[in-house]
Amino acid sequence: MNNFIYNTPTKVFFGKNQEDKLGEILKSYNIKKVLLHYGKESIKKSGLYDKVINQLKAFKIDFVELGGVTPNPKLSLALKGVEIAKKEKVDLILAVGGGSVIDSAKLISVGAKVDFNPWLFSIKEKTPNDHIPVGTILTISAAGSDMSNSCVITNDTTKEKRGFVSEENRCLFAILNPELTYTVSKYQTACGIVDIMMHTLERYFSSGDDTPLTDNIALGLLKAVYDAGKILITDPYNYNARATIMWANSLSHNGLTGVGRNYIMSVHQLEHELSGMYDEISHGAGLAVLWPAWAKIAYKAEIKRFSRYAYEVIGITKTNDSIADILKAIEETQNYFISLGMPKSLRELNVKESSLEELAHNTMFKGKRVLEDIIKVDYEMAYKILKLAY
Amino acid sequence: MNNFIYNTPTKVFFGKNQEDKLGEILKSYNIKKVLLHYGKESIKKSGLYDKVINQLKAFKIDFVELGGVTPNPKLSLALKGVEIAKKEKVDLILAVGGGSVIDSAKLISVGAKVDFNPWLFSIKEKTPNDHIPVGTILTISAAGSDMSNSCVITNDTTKEKRGFVSEENRCLFAILNPELTYTVSKYQTACGIVDIMMHTLERYFSSGDDTPLTDNIALGLLKAVYDAGKILITDPYNYNARATIMWANSLSHNGLTGVGRNYIMSVHQLEHELSGMYDEISHGAGLAVLWPAWAKIAYKAEIKRFSRYAYEVIGITKTNDSIADILKAIEETQNYFISLGMPKSLRELNVKESSLEELAHNTMFKGKRVLEDIIKVDYEMAYKILKLAY
């Protein structure tokens, strides 16, 4: 087991009606003025926006607003947020929405403390060491940004999508009410389930010594999500299934399922290039197509781990041919994603075959890196995976 | 799934040689003066004491000392600590040792902020709302106090052992180096394993709606500890097994394995009375004897949960008779505890049969409470469990 630092300071308020505690929570942290950050109209339609405003007013907490966050959140909007946060001297950014809104809030949070463009954090030319606290009311179970140290932003000028990790990116608090996700569309629910599974799959299929506790937790989380997803296909208002997915969203990306291991999340890196180039592609949909392709190549490097996944998560009946069992599990995983409503190929996502080379090239940061985990993903391998996923 | 608050702010530095970072860590929190709190001579013999002192000196951190913490830590010593902490104006209490040292530090930490006897927190007549931070270097994997919100103290005048939970009881940081536990005796290692398993067993065997994610994590943790314990019987210097036990020590009591459930930990309550009355009894040894007795009565109320435990943790081969399988799993659990070096009965722990009535009476706080979980533990039931464990 590798040495590790485990840091999950985010205080989680989980369950029904927890958003009604917002004012009380902000008061407990002595917050006087917030920047309310959100996406498009959905929180207004659902009534959540009004609830938030009423809480802020009732507890006499001053606020300014910045809406308009899009999927694959854009640098340009975050820079506007930085300007507002500085000018208005807010002492918390309240992200009401999904992972895109939270990630945008995170960039504002670190950007407001420096005099340069925080994109320099994204491209790792600078390292943040201070931030304005971020609190969130989560409305989509997917990215796990509410408890993660990760922030992914797309530069709308260069079309680059870049993530950076920092302990400055941890939210102060997260309000997670599974009922707020009842109205998430079937497609977006599916994208979320894939993203959640992938955060743990990419930690589990990694190199390192034996880590039985981390592995058991990882497999247990995957199984719970897999089962809950099946329920949600026919019963989107099932509270316990929504709650399972929402809590897994947090635990899958806060570090828990990978401690003690070496992981670099190659499939995520490939997907970031994909949805960076094709803005209309949802992160989860991209992952759903790319992971099975990666797995069909990578399984040979980790037969033992893939076997446990096959038997303990997917529930493949054990035969004498463990390779066949693993391949069946990978196929079954892809079929599961398809049953949730996910595409089965890059072609189905309207990706041009002619862009595969550029995607592979971009994933390698144009020759500046190689991704080495249980398999080595260099340009040729990236291209091979993309081609197989096409 | 019940609503819950999840709060695990303790920053964990896990792995080999992490204690060498002590000075750096204290500096990162801007700590100027610490109260170094520890037990008897073992940290001096092992060289850890010198390492700590050298770090404090090298980083120019002022310190005062209070050693002498015993198992079942005593109120009288904690009160001395409160006096020192107030007089010396320390800004962190550094607990170097096991759960007893940490719990003693926690009482000092909240006691130093009030003008009354902090025992009033222990008996829940007062609620803390401030504390001096506690940091720890853990030397025994057992109590999970390094990440828990719990503090258990014995009043050496009244012989009462009382625990209270509060978010003020969360440590600021915890340094967990599994190598520091190599020299823990076989007996104390076993006591620790039982305590760790019990923190999750008592959360898992509880009432509430379906909580598949919490349950899968709980069972995965139990399985990892069960397996690692078997390794340590013959190979106490196995790093990965020591690491598994140490990390499980933290996760088993930080809240993770019980979120969304209703649990009150009846067996822990019974055991607190036992080791409160018999100071020489280790908490883990008491639990090892009491839990199987409780389980033999309680399993009927939760066949489904006990079945999963039997098959997924203990590895019982499934037959058509699930009751027989469960009883076999309970017996197997007790045999496992015995194989680790634990006693098999209260008699073996030199408990007088004549004290069982008083123990049952004390567990009910002399008629002031009943413990209601999957079974109702009132005076008669407490007596029945104690008698069965005798």
Side-chain angles (χ1 to χ4, degrees), chain A residues 204 219 223 303-326 328-329:
Chain A
Y204 175 75
L219 293 166
K223 174 82 177 132
I303 297 291
K304 205 173 137 193
R305 294 190 157 261
F306 270 92
S307 295
R308 285 196 70 184
Y309 173 72
Y311 305 130
E312 297 177 38
V313 178
I314 306 302
I316 300 294
T317 306
K318 200 169 181 165
T319 71
N320 289 328
D321 186 349
S322 62
I323 302 292
D325 293 347
I326 288 169
K328 203 169 161 189

Side-chain angles (χ1 to χ4, degrees), chain A residues 129-323:
Chain A
N129 54 28
D130 198 5
H131 72 281
I132 294 175
V134 175
T136 183
I137 302 177
L138 189 68
T139 59
I140 302 178
S141 305
S145 189
D146 47 293
M147 279 192 95
S148 82
N149 60 358
S150 161
C151 169
V152 183
I153 296 288
T154 297
N155 185 324
D156 24 358
T157 310
T158 65
K159 304 284 173 206
E160 290 168 301
K161 185 174 178 178
R162 291 286 175 266
F164 73 103
V165 298
S166 162
E167 295 313 298
E168 301 295 330
N169 282 337
R170 302 276 184 186
C171 288
L172 179 65
F173 67 83
I175 294 174
L176 309 183
N177 176 358
E179 292 183 319
L180 296 178
T181 67
Y182 281 158
T183 52
V184 174
S185 71
K186 188 180 165 179
Y187 187 78
Q188 285 305 330
T189 299
C191 287
I193 289 169
V194 175
D195 197 14
I196 294 165
M197 287 186 68
M198 219 52 62
H199 286 148
T200 289
L201 281 172
E202 292 226 75
R203 285 176 164 90
Y204 175 75
F205 291 116
S206 57
S207 53
D209 285 344
D210 276 355
T211 49
L213 178 51
T214 297
D215 296 347
N216 289 1
I217 289 173
L219 293 166
L221 180 142
L222 287 167
K223 174 82 177 132
V225 175
Y226 189 68
D227 292 346
K230 286 182 180 174
I231 294 170
L232 291 178
I233 293 172
T234 55
D235 184 9
Y237 288 85
N238 185 301
Y239 181 79
N240 273 340
R242 286 284 186 190
T244 298
I245 298 288
M246 193 167 224
W247 185 221
N249 145 89
S250 306
L251 295 184
S252 196
H253 207 25
N254 76 355
L256 179 71
T257 61
V259 287
R261 304 203 58 71
N262 313 315
Y263 56 88
I264 49 166
M265 308 188 105
S266 309
V267 182
H268 264 80
Q269 307 305 326
L270 275 164
E271 201 298 312
H272 284 172
E273 297 309 321
L274 183 66
S275 52
M277 187 184 289
Y278 292 89
D279 197 38
E280 67 283 11
I281 294 182
S282 283
H283 181 50
L287 292 170
V289 168
L290 291 170
W291 186 81
W294 172 88
K296 280 173 205 163
I297 297 167
Y299 79 90
K300 288 172 204 147
E302 272 294 350
I303 297 291
K304 205 173 137 193
R305 294 190 157 261
F306 270 92
S307 295
R308 285 196 70 184
Y309 173 72
Y311 305 130
E312 297 177 38
V313 178
I314 306 302
I316 300 294
T317 306
K318 200 169 181 165
T319 71
N320 289 328
D321 186 349
S322 62
I323 302 292

Side-chain angles (χ1 to χ4, degrees), chain B residues 95-159:
Chain B
V96 182
S100 298
V101 176
I102 301 173
D103 279 11
S104 184
K106 285 178 177 180
L107 201 72
I108 297 170
S109 140
V110 290
K113 290 288 189 179
V114 294
D115 292 326
F116 51 81
N117 188 329
W119 179 249
L120 294 177
F121 296 138
S122 304
I123 56 173
K124 301 180 181 75
E125 286 194 8
K126 296 272 188 182
T127 306
N129 53 31
D130 198 5
H131 72 280
I132 294 175
V134 175
T136 184
I137 302 177
L138 189 68
T139 59
I140 303 178
S141 306
S145 189
D146 47 293
M147 280 194 94
S148 82
N149 59 359
S150 162
C151 169
V152 184
I153 296 289
T154 298
N155 185 323
D156 24 0
T157 310
T158 65
K159 304 285 174 207

